[in-house]
Amino acid sequence: TQLLEQSPQFLSIQEGENLTVYCNSSSVFSSLQWYRQEPGEGPVLLVTVVTGGEVKKLKRLTFQFGDARKDSSLHITAAQPGDTGLYLCAGPRSGGSYIPTFGRGTSLIVHP
Amino acid sequence: EAGVAQSPRYKIIEKRQSVAFWCNPISGHATLYWYQQILGQGPKLLIQFQNNGVVDDSQLPKDRFSAERLKGVDSTLKIQPAKLEDSAVYLCASSLYGNEQFFGPGTRLTVL
């Protein structure tokens, strides 16, 4: 079973601070995705990373896929209250079909 | 484009009762997923359909949970009988090409 471990589990910061959250596994993933879930809603896809070492930017969010494709990070610059939510990483289990597995998530609160 | 629709949004039942959830995926999406998300955790895949065939149901508690996707469009997930530990948010998602999933808002189930 391919597991995704996310850290930290909780993060509470002030508006304007920078932060990084991590998604780690002992297994190689062909791709990893990051989702954000707001209270009372379903997760929304932020990005998919496919190539080892890949860096993608989405406004103030920077996503990196590890060279060995076993880990990924999400860095947020100058966090805003609108960034509050549960950040989830997900990837396909091993095998032919795309069968997704999710990490437990990092719950982020950004205080004004 | 309309998103994934789920109903009901909230349901409260007593243990040993039955409950059913409904999902209408995005038009044209062949793959449909049902997830269970317990408070403080990431979504756990219960069952994945490709059209009206099951791709994976390895984490579905088949003694009490069942799901169907007649005609490869709408889907229902049923729990019979419910237990206290079934209290969770049940998320439905659909995808066109496998890894990019679009989630519905979820059904919050409380079992008393």
Side-chain angles (χ1 to χ4, degrees):
Chain A
T1 304
Q2 292 183 284
L3 294 176
L4 289 166
E5 302 285 342
Q6 291 192 244
S7 62
Q9 191 173 352
F10 302 101
L11 200 51
S12 179
I13 61 172
Q14 293 296 126
E15 183 175 1
E17 291 184 19
N18 301 332
L19 66 119
T20 303
V21 299
Y22 301 92
C23 175
N24 296 295
S25 175
S26 58
S27 305
V28 174
F29 281 83
S30 58
S31 65
L32 278 179
Q33 298 177 309
W34 285 93
Y35 290 80
R36 179 169 63 214
Q37 184 177 22
E38 298 184 14
E41 300 295 329
V44 175
L45 180 66
L46 297 173
V47 77
T48 300
V49 287
V50 238
T51 306
E54 181 177 7
V55 176
K56 282 191 173 179
K57 293 192 175 185
L58 185 65
K59 296 183 181 178
R60 294 174 295 99
L61 278 59
T62 302
F63 304 86
Q64 185 161 6
F65 200 12
D67 291 341
R69 291 186 289 129
K70 292 184 177 181
D71 56 88
S72 181
S73 63
L74 159 59
H75 181 79
I76 302 179
T77 303
Q80 298 177 1
D83 296 326
T84 293
L86 180 67
Y87 288 82
L88 296 157
C89 65
R93 295 186 214 162
S94 58
S97 300
Y98 182 86
I99 300 173
T101 187
F102 278 80
R104 290 177 64 106
T106 292
S107 180
L108 171 66
I109 298 175
V110 183
H111 301 278
Chain B
E1 177 182 84
V4 176
Q6 289 189 247
S7 67
R9 290 297 310 272
Y10 305 93
K11 189 75 177 178
I12 301 173
I13 62 173
E14 295 191 349
K15 60 183 180 182
R16 291 188 288 274
Q17 285 188 322
S18 303
V19 65
F21 313 126
W22 173 82
C23 174
N24 181 242
I26 293 173
S27 178
H29 282 194
T31 309
L32 186 147
Y33 313 79
W34 281 104
Y35 291 89
Q36 179 192 61
Q37 186 174 26
I38 292 173
L39 188 64
Q41 298 183 18
K44 181 181 89 170
L45 181 68
L46 294 175
I47 188 166
Q48 179 176 340
F49 292 96
Q50 178 78 16
N51 296 308
N52 59 352
V54 175
V55 174
D56 184 83
D57 63 359
S58 58
Q59 299 187 96
L60 185 73
K62 298 180 186 63
D63 58 332
R64 299 184 300 107
F65 286 63
S66 64
E68 60 182 9
R69 191 183 184 196
L70 299 176
K71 301 180 182 178
V73 182
D74 293 8
S75 177
T76 56
L77 176 69
K78 296 179 182 178
I79 307 175
Q80 181 180 12
K83 292 185 176 181
L84 296 177
E85 59 261 35
D86 298 332
S87 293
V89 174
Y90 290 85
L91 294 164
C92 178
S94 69
S95 67
L96 183 61
Y97 293 123
N99 62 355
E100 184 174 2
Q101 298 176 68
F102 295 83
F103 284 82
T107 296
R108 181 176 296 277
L109 173 68
T110 302
V111 183
L112 303 175

